Amino acid sequence: DAKTTQPPSMDCAEGRAANLPCNHSTISGNEYVYWYRQIHSQGPQYIIHGLKNNETNEMASLIITEDRKSSTLILPHATLRDTAVYYCIVRVNNNAGNMLTFGGGTRLMVKP
Amino acid sequence: GAVVSQHPSWVICKSGTSVKIECRSLDFQATTMFWYRQFPKQSLMLMATSNEGSKATYEQGVEKDKFLINHASLTLSTLTVTSAHPEDSSFYICSATSDNEQFFGPGTRLTVL
């Protein structure tokens, strides 16, 4: 699976949009971009994933650049409960149930 | 989404004892489950892949005789930390695959005194 690079930490004001970047310059054509987050002392929580088109769900939006070498996770209106470590992971999506390789992630601190 | 549970959520044990952690898929069947370990302020590290009805596959550096994995049914995988020592103190997290997506349990915090 391709490696990802994320900033180690970011701050965001409550109510503002949080934009979390991720570089995955060695991504392959059949690899998807996944985002998970981990709130302190809990298991990771799935947020969103995409292949090449931008995606949106009730939690966030995922913007993938046209060359697919980077992406941005957007939390449109961050709340204090969004404080967590956010992991960007790229992997092949197949029926083998591939394990996820976690990098360092970005520690997002939402401040009042 | 699918729900994965772990039991216990935390455990404290004496050095030299064995501890069993259960991972259950509550509303789906999982032929594959994964066990991760997370030390403080670090990321999750995959320990092993648990396959129902067959032997687990361990990552490099993980002792299979120390971390015993049993995946006896499609809804239950267990991780037994044998002869636990203080350096085994960590946050153990399992995940299960459903419809090609991974769902994580809430984790088990193990403290070995």
Side-chain angles (χ1 to χ4, degrees), chain B residues 61-105:
Chain B
V62 178
E63 300 175 55
K64 62 179 182 180
D65 295 329
K66 181 171 181 62
F67 299 98
L68 302 179
I69 291 173
N70 188 317
H71 195 156
S73 78
L74 288 171
T75 60
L76 173 65
S77 175
T78 61
L79 168 68
T80 301
V81 183
T82 62
S83 187
H85 291 285
E87 58 265 29
D88 298 322
S89 297
S90 188
F91 193 49
Y92 291 86
I93 305 168
C94 72
S95 71
T97 302
S98 175
D99 290 334
N100 206 31
E101 299 303 337
Q102 275 201 42
F103 299 91
F104 288 83

Side-chain angles (χ1 to χ4, degrees), chain A residues 5-47:
Chain A
T5 304
Q6 299 176 253
S9 63
M10 290 182 64
D11 289 346
C12 177
E14 186 180 19
R16 305 298 292 269
N19 298 290
L20 293 92
C22 179
N23 285 324
H24 31 80
S25 58
T26 59
I27 191 170
S28 301
N30 60 346
E31 287 183 312
Y32 286 68
V33 180
Y34 280 77
W35 283 83
Y36 284 78
R37 74 178 183 184
Q38 186 180 25
I39 295 171
H40 183 63
S41 293
Q42 296 183 23
Q45 176 190 23
Y46 166 82
I47 300 173

Side-chain angles (χ1 to χ4, degrees), chain A residues 41-99:
Chain A
S41 293
Q42 296 183 23
Q45 176 190 23
Y46 166 82
I47 300 173
I48 200 168
H49 77 281
L51 182 62
K52 52 184 178 181
N53 296 324
N54 296 338
E55 302 287 345
T56 295
N57 62 21
E58 65 278 4
M59 289 183 69
S61 294
L62 173 61
I63 308 297
I64 303 174
T65 58
E66 195 169 338
D67 62 8
R68 303 208 323 123
K69 293 185 176 182
S70 64
S71 60
T72 301
L73 178 75
I74 301 173
L75 308 179
H77 305 286
T79 70
L80 298 180
R81 287 181 294 181
D82 291 322
T83 292
V85 179
Y86 287 76
Y87 295 100
C88 168
I89 300 168
V90 293
R91 72 165 179 116
V92 175
N93 214 19
N94 58 36
N95 291 325
N98 280 5
M99 55 81 172

